[in-house]
Amino acid sequence: MPEPLYLHIKRHTALSEAGFNAIRGYFDTRKVKKKELLVTEGKLCTRHFFVVKGCLRLFFLKEDGQEQTIQFAIENWWMTDIDAFNKKKRAAFSVQAIEATEVLEIEKNRLDELLETHPVMERYFRMVYERAYTASLFRVKYIFQLSKDAFYERFSNTYPEFVQRIPQKILASFLGFTPEYLSALRKKKALKGRKG
């Protein structure tokens, strides 16, 4: 069966299987335990991760010590502290496995070499980044435009797989809710579903 990364690249480019075989050598496979950190805030960020199986989150610590989740990555999504990775500097965010996860990882120097040697990957990453940027813009729009109830409704309808897989405390942090508020929203939605 073709590798998930190959299938994902093929969705955006005309990469052949032979072309992918040359590209695959740039990546290392890594298995991470639940709650394990792949990137730690304040430490150098040297790797970019493609999720083969599992779920990651990007978060930072607020002044009060609370974790603020700002992004998730499930199968076929990429994640890292992209600014720190590109500039080879200390991370402003941490990346953590929410569940046992398998990733393909690539170091910055190897990625630069890959993009130089295989221009098709420039197109692929451009498309990946465009989609990620669009998603982040809409998230900001919905935070400012929608009520909390409407924001949760839109998020749960657009990404039902996240609502099922992500622990309530982490999901609440991402949505900007308290866990108690999210719990009440979920109960209200479940009750509405039974009546409807």
Side-chain angles (χ1 to χ4, degrees), residues 2 20 22-23 42 50 74 79 89 139 152 179-180 192 194:
F20 177 72
I23 286 166
F50 175 81
I74 56 171
M79 179 168 278
K89 65 178 190 178
R139 177 173 178 245
Y152 174 71
E180 296 76 20
K192 192 175 166 186
R194 278 189 231 121

Side-chain angles (χ1 to χ4, degrees), residues 7-109:
L7 295 175
H8 197 256
I9 295 169
K10 212 166 157 43
R11 279 176 44 198
H12 302 288
T13 69
L15 183 70
S16 67
E17 202 160 342
F20 177 72
N21 289 337
I23 286 166
R24 179 61 179 88
Y26 287 87
F27 295 87
D28 295 317
T29 301
R30 180 173 172 186
K31 293 192 175 182
V32 233
K33 295 177 184 162
K34 182 178 179 176
K35 296 188 178 182
E36 187 177 336
L37 291 171
L38 290 88
V39 175
T40 304
E41 187 175 343
K43 295 189 177 175
L44 287 178
C45 176
T46 59
R47 294 175 181 262
H48 201 338
F49 309 96
F50 175 81
V51 180
V52 175
K53 186 176 189 299
C55 184
L56 303 176
R57 72 171 175 138
L58 185 79
F59 72 96
F60 65 92
L61 285 178
K62 297 194 285 190
E63 285 183 11
D64 63 3
Q66 295 292 311
E67 295 174 353
Q68 178 61 58
T69 300
I70 60 165
Q71 208 173 61
F72 296 110
I74 56 171
E75 289 81 6
N76 300 319
W77 289 31
W78 286 89
M79 179 168 278
T80 193
D81 177 333
I82 197 67
D83 185 55
F85 174 75
N86 284 331
K87 294 176 181 171
K88 299 181 182 178
K89 65 178 190 178
R90 296 185 186 280
F93 304 94
S94 294
V95 175
Q96 182 184 48
I98 292 176
E99 52 194 45
T101 300
E102 182 182 334
V103 297
L104 294 178
E105 59 182 16
I106 188 166
E107 291 182 348
K108 176 67 172 131
N109 295 341

